[in-house]
Amino acid sequence: MPAKDLLPIPNLMAMRRVLAIAPHPDDNEVGAGATLAKLIGLGARVDWVVATDGAVGTLEAAQRESLVETRRREQEAAIAVLGGGGLNWLGFPDMGLRDRRAELTTAVFHAIRSAAPDVVLCPDPWMPYESHPDHRTLGMAVTEAVSMSHFPMVEPTAGGPVEPPAIAYYGTAWPNTRVDVTDTFDQKLRAMWTHASQFAEPAQQVLGYYLRVRAAEYGADAGVELAEAFKVLSVWHLHFYPDAWQS
Ligand SMILES: [Zn+2]
């Protein structure tokens, strides 16, 4: 048996306490919306954490303050479309995570230790060519917090130790898990379109078409019509384990 097969990949669909941590309002929906809806349908408790206020997502600089309020309402509406769940805003400025990395890490530790989830979802910070610093920084902070949340002397001001959750990366180049979302894919798109400040026409048509074609490709890999893809790892994969990328 190859060494990489000795560490089992956690079963994402068996998770019942789920924490989805996004850099911006809309990322959880784009990356994992159909899977989150499916988990909720299976009885899971899903809570959202959004790290930044989304204030940079406009070409009109003068809109900044009203956009923050709009994006709050859009995020709440998206969660309602997917079946409901808690929402925790960490309050960092959009594009501001890189410069406040230490503070972000503490906030993420606190969010994970407060929720004590079975699994944490976030963007894959190792996706090649990912240009957005908030996505790279958030993904690394969540990875650190997942792998260290059970150590009481790491980030002791951010709550007591918890059982280490699994991590499920969306937006990943090396998926190891495909979730059949044939029944919830349209719900994902409806949730995405509540983020109307980000996805006006014709972007809705173009992005919706792309995501459907891509979901069909992931689905073909799994023998289903439509799928979302994740890289799911246990805490044991996250330290000193050179095969993690191909696990
Ligand atoms: Zn984003």
Side-chain angles (χ1 to χ4, degrees):
M1 176 187 281
K4 73 180 184 60
D5 293 342
L6 295 174
L7 275 184
I9 299 303
N11 178 6
L12 177 57
M13 298 319 289
M15 306 294 180
R16 289 297 172 267
R17 292 178 64 87
V18 179
L19 191 63
I21 307 183
H24 311 104
D26 76 19
D27 291 318
N28 283 333
E29 288 71 51
V30 175
T35 298
L36 295 175
K38 182 168 182 170
L39 283 163
I40 291 166
L42 291 170
R45 176 182 174 87
V46 177
D47 290 308
W48 269 251
V49 176
V50 181
T52 74
D53 57 15
V56 176
T58 177
L59 300 178
E60 313 281 337
Q63 284 185 358
R64 184 170 185 130
E65 288 204 358
S66 68
L67 183 61
V68 169
E69 186 50 38
T70 298
R71 297 203 71 178
R72 281 184 172 265
R73 286 199 308 273
E74 291 172 348
Q75 182 64 81
E76 288 163 5
I79 292 171
V81 169
L82 295 177
L87 172 56
N88 175 9
W89 293 93
L90 298 186
F92 289 90
D94 200 346
M95 284 293 288
L97 298 184
R98 185 169 43 185
D99 294 338
R100 293 171 68 179
R101 168 66 199 274
E103 206 181 327
L104 171 69
T105 303
T106 303
V108 171
F109 264 90
H110 189 264
I112 290 174
R113 285 174 170 162
S114 302
D118 300 321
V119 64
V120 178
L121 280 72
C122 70
D124 188 338
W126 290 278
M127 185 166 73
Y129 305 103
E130 174 54 64
S131 67
H132 203 307
D134 284 344
H135 281 236
R136 300 194 308 263
T137 306
L138 188 279
M140 291 304 291
V142 173
T143 303
E144 260 178 57
V146 162
S147 66
M148 301 279 178
S149 59
H150 55 305
F151 286 102
M153 286 187 284
V154 178
E155 294 282 350
T157 63
V162 293
E163 280 293 306
I167 193 163
Y169 297 108
Y170 55 75
T172 183
W174 296 288
N176 59 12
T177 298
R178 287 157 184 80
V179 176
D180 179 0
V181 295
T182 308
D183 294 337
T184 54
F185 187 79
D186 288 337
Q187 210 175 336
K188 167 199 179 102
L189 291 187
R190 286 201 305 279
M192 282 179 57
W193 306 154
T194 68
H195 295 281
S197 68
Q198 306 302 297
F199 305 121
E201 292 292 2
Q204 277 192 22
Q205 293 242 1
V206 174
L207 183 58
Y209 182 70
Y210 167 80
L211 289 173
R212 190 175 292 278
V213 170
R214 197 67 183 89
E217 290 173 354
Y218 286 133
D221 295 339
V224 301
E225 188 180 335
L226 298 171
E228 282 180 332
F230 300 87
K231 177 77 161 189
V232 185
L233 298 174
S234 73
V235 68
W236 308 110
H237 292 95
L238 293 175
H239 183 52
F240 230 123
Y241 186 67
D243 297 317
W245 70 276
Q246 55 185 353
S247 291

